[in-house]
Amino acid sequence: EVQLVQSGAEVKKPGESLKISCKGSGHNLINSWIGWVRQMPGKGLEWMGIIYLGDSDTRYSPSFLGQLTISADKSISAAYLQWSSLRASDSAMYYCAAIQGDLVDGFHIWGQGTLVTVSS
Amino acid sequence: SYVLTQSPAVSVAPGKTARIPCGGDNIGDKTVHWYQQKPGQAPVAVIYYDTDRPSGIPERFSGSNSGDTATLTISRVEAGDEADYYCQVWDSDRGHLVFGGGTKMTVL
């Protein structure tokens, strides 16, 4: 059974950098897209961006372009979400999810989420 | 950008049928997926490709998509169906993935 395992909760100060991870297990995800989804407290799902593990082709939501970086390491079926300078407004739950096929396909697998808290 | 519109909330009595619409310009020309999210949990797909149920999802869950509205239908609603429901498409024109704002379903 394929699973996506995300890194643990983080508490950071404004201005600090952060990189969270999402690793696939139980199946080779090299032909999959891994997307990142933000959920702020009490709010809905927001698509941030998506990366193809096979060649690191990356697409960003216009709302998040320039605010963060999505990367991948296909050798370990992992995707990453990185901030260079966090803000309090980045406090949220972040989910990764996999599309095993074309981008019109839905997210077949979700990670458990990584809670990021940014506070001085 | 492409926008998916969902009603914020719907209430339904146990045993009745819930219909959760998702509106979008010519959404019938797109492929719609639906996700269920219960409090404190990650989302789970309940409908793929407009009408298909993933393995393990009860037959009570069904989907349709035509014109400007896609609809998730939950028959014989149970207390355990209480959750937030999100529709989602890939907007190939702009190369963006889009979620609806979500509908909170309350079972009375």
Side-chain angles (χ1 to χ4, degrees):
Chain A
E1 179 186 353
V2 184
Q3 288 186 325
L4 293 178
V5 180
Q6 298 186 229
S7 49
E10 301 274 2
V11 179
K12 292 289 188 178
K13 290 181 167 52
E16 292 186 331
S17 63
L18 176 64
K19 188 174 187 178
I20 62 175
S21 67
C22 169
K23 295 185 179 181
S25 65
H27 186 77
N28 189 339
L29 295 175
I30 195 168
N31 295 320
S32 299
W33 294 85
I34 303 293
W36 288 96
V37 177
R38 183 176 79 175
Q39 187 167 40
M40 301 184 77
K43 302 298 184 181
L45 305 177
E46 300 176 88
W47 175 67
M48 305 173 73
I50 198 163
I51 188 166
Y52 186 67
L53 286 185
D55 63 6
S56 291
D57 179 11
T58 308
R59 321 287 176 87
Y60 289 95
S61 163
S63 299
F64 293 94
L65 185 63
Q67 308 299 315
L68 43 84
T69 301
I70 294 172
S71 59
D73 184 341
K74 66 181 179 182
S75 67
I76 56 171
S77 292
Y80 305 93
L81 183 61
Q82 183 173 9
W83 294 263
S84 59
S85 181
L86 286 161
R87 300 176 291 189
S89 59
D90 292 317
S91 296
M93 179 70 82
Y94 293 89
Y95 293 102
C96 66
I99 294 177
Q100 294 181 297
D102 191 83
L103 285 165
V104 299
D105 298 341
F107 288 119
H108 286 64
I109 316 159
W110 290 75
Q112 83 276 19
T114 296
L115 182 63
V116 173
T117 303
V118 183
S119 175
S120 54
Chain B
S1 61
Y2 191 77
V3 176
L4 294 176
T5 301
Q6 294 186 245
S7 300
V10 64
S11 298
V12 61
K16 299 299 186 182
T17 297
R19 293 179 179 83
I20 300 174
C22 172
D25 187 37
N26 290 319
I27 194 174
D29 293 337
K30 300 185 182 301
T31 300
V32 180
H33 311 290
W34 290 91
Y35 304 94
Q36 175 194 69
Q37 187 181 32
K38 296 182 179 179
Q41 297 184 20
V44 172
V46 291
I47 292 290
Y48 289 128
Y49 312 110
D50 298 340
T51 61
D52 295 351
R53 277 177 294 102
S55 173
I57 300 301
E59 292 183 5
R60 302 184 295 103
F61 288 79
S62 63
S64 62
N65 184 19
S66 179
D68 291 333
T69 305
T71 303
L72 172 68
T73 300
I74 309 171
S75 304
R76 302 181 301 282
V77 165
E78 302 175 357
D81 299 332
E82 189 165 280
D84 296 326
Y85 292 88
Y86 297 90
C87 55
Q88 177 254 307
V89 301
W90 174 257
D91 178 15
S92 56
D93 292 336
R94 299 169 183 82
H96 298 155
L97 189 146
V98 183
F99 285 104
T103 296
K104 181 178 183 62
M105 188 178 84
T106 300
V107 179
L108 300 171

